[in-house]
Structure formats: structure tokens, C-alpha cells
Amino acid sequence: MSIHISAAKGDIADKILLPGDPLRAKFIAENFLEDAVCFNEVRNMFGYTGTYKGQRVSVMGTGMGMPSISIYARELIVDYGVKKLIRVGTAGSIDPNVHVRELVLAQAAATNSNIIRNDFPEYDFPQIANFQLLDKAYHIAKDLGLTTHVGNVLSSDVFYSNMPERNMKLGELGVKAIEMEAAALYYLGAQHGVDTLAIMTISDSLVNPDEDTTAEERQNTFTDMMKVGLETLISD
């Protein structure tokens, strides 16, 4: 086992969905996977392995923010040999054309975090998705008839910003939404040569606040991104 994951070797599949909310991981396991077995309860960060359409897959919560996802994703990659990691989470729209319950596939992730600058202070190292996963997810979503946006997102270290106008300005530059994990996941993918992608459902809108959803809706619905994520994981 690793420091934060109690699974034994072989308990985790080489492909995994990563919701931030551990209860969303439990929801996915109970509603999409067959013969799901819990492999982790440390810190209540639930993880499960089962089968989806006959293929072995896992799902595990990562918590909120880049430090948290960095811990779990790194251990999954280094200690358990996971090769495909897809974040399925929520994001807030900063684009008036991107609405609540629509999907955003993060082609790239800008960030205000120093998590990458700590390693490369002299560069603006771009955080990008694995193209094969991105391409598969886009076509799967379109085949399912889902409204899907592809583009840049902002991975922020700050949820309650004291200067939200700066974030809104990014929306004018084509950034689709704000979330808190994708850049770190993409950086780990680059470091370790594994495939990473972030699929988000818009849960609230900074430009259309009347569209916002409840905490229960965010935990137990948003199944479209779960289907797209699972189908992308098992696609050849």
C-alpha cells in the first residue's frame, strides 16, 4: 500500500475515474460498475474497482484542489501502475455560451498555482490533455447528443477569490470555466508519461448565476460526464 491508499498491489485497475467528491466515487461504483469492491477508505477517500462493459476499471475520490489530487494521482501512477486517469468533476462557467449541466473537456489548463513554477520557475509550462483521450471523449459525447465544449480552463488555487474580475477577464480570452484540479493532473501525466484528461460538468455559472445547482445535485446527478468518462476509458 502507499501512504494514503490502503489498496494492495493488483487491487486497482490500470484505468481510473477521478471525481473530487468521494461520495461521487461511491455513486459511480454503485450505479455504473459491476461487482465493485472498495479498495480504500483512508480519510474517507473512497475507491472502488469493478467492471464496466466487461472491462476492469476503478474509481476514486481525490478531494478538492491541486495538492490533494496530486497526492492521490501520483500514488495511483507510481505505486499502483495506473496508466489512464480521467477527472470527472464540476466547474464554474465564465463563458456566457457555456451553461449549467453542459460538458467541458479541458484541452488545456491555465493555472494561478505555483505547483509547476516550483519546478520550472523560468518557464510557463503548458498543461495539456492527452490528445487521444480528448479526441475519444469528444466524439463519444457528441454521439450521445451532449452539448460539449472543448477548450482552455483555469485551474485555480482559490475558490473564494478576492478579485473575481480577473477570472472573468479570462472568460473574454476564451477560457471556458474555472475548476481546481486539471492542471496538476496534466502535469503529473507529463511527468510520468501516462494519459490524463479532465471532463467537467458545469455546476454553476459566474455569468449566469440563476443556473446554479444544489450540493445534492452535484453529488448524485451529472451522470453524462460519468458515462463519457467510462466509455473513454474502455475505448480502444
Side-chain angles (χ1 to χ4, degrees):
M1 64 181 67
S2 65
I3 296 174
H4 301 93
I5 303 173
S6 61
K9 296 289 186 181
D11 286 352
I12 304 175
D14 66 354
K15 50 183 77 74
I16 194 167
L17 287 189
L18 299 174
D21 185 349
L23 291 179
R24 187 178 293 131
K26 185 174 185 287
F27 178 89
I28 293 170
E30 291 176 346
N31 289 275
F32 289 93
L33 302 186
E34 295 183 2
D35 303 319
V37 175
C38 182
F39 64 75
N40 189 67
E41 293 181 331
V42 176
R43 295 174 179 258
N44 285 327
M45 196 59 71
F46 304 125
Y48 304 84
T49 297
T51 59
Y52 179 75
K53 295 187 175 180
Q55 293 200 39
R56 192 166 182 260
V57 298
S58 295
V59 57
M60 182 178 176
T62 64
M64 290 188 288
M66 284 175 273
S68 187
I69 195 173
S70 294
I71 290 169
Y72 292 108
R74 187 190 185 281
E75 292 183 14
L76 288 166
I77 295 165
V78 174
D79 297 314
Y80 295 97
V82 179
K83 303 299 184 185
K84 292 183 180 180
L85 302 91
I86 298 181
R87 161 166 156 70
V88 283
T90 56
S93 171
I94 53 175
D95 182 334
N97 298 310
V98 178
H99 299 283
V100 166
R101 298 190 181 278
E102 295 177 351
L103 298 188
V104 171
L105 308 182
Q107 182 176 15
T111 185
N112 55 20
S113 173
N114 284 324
I115 199 166
I116 296 133
R117 296 190 191 98
N118 286 337
D119 291 344
F120 295 99
E122 68 274 36
Y123 298 111
D124 288 323
F125 187 84
Q127 309 312 307
I128 60 173
N130 173 266
F131 178 76
Q132 284 74 27
L133 289 183
L134 178 66
D135 184 54
K136 290 173 183 176
Y138 176 75
H139 286 96
I140 288 168
K142 297 301 287 185
D143 288 345
L144 291 172
L146 306 176
T147 301
T148 305
H149 307 269
V150 178
N152 206 350
V153 301
L154 170 64
S155 296
S156 179
D157 267 344
V158 181
F159 187 86
Y160 294 110
S161 175
N162 290 323
M163 292 173 285
E165 66 278 358
R166 290 188 178 182
N167 294 338
M168 300 303 294
K169 186 66 178 179
L170 290 175
E172 298 174 16
L173 302 179
V175 177
K176 304 297 182 185
I178 304 174
E179 55 89 67
M180 301 185 73
E181 289 84 22
L185 180 62
Y186 289 0
Y187 186 43
L188 285 165
Q191 288 182 74
H192 298 284
V194 299
D195 299 340
T196 56
L197 177 66
I199 302 173
M200 276 80 68
T201 300
I202 297 299
S203 60
D204 58 280
S205 173
L206 281 73
V207 288
N208 298 304
D210 292 341
E211 298 181 353
D212 292 359
T213 57
T214 68
E216 184 176 0
E217 287 176 317
R218 292 191 293 272
Q219 177 182 304
N220 295 326
T221 62
F222 298 170
T223 55
D224 289 341
M225 69 176 170
M226 302 170 192
K227 294 175 185 174
V228 173
L230 288 165
E231 292 291 335
T232 302
L233 279 181
I234 67 170
S235 63
D236 294 326

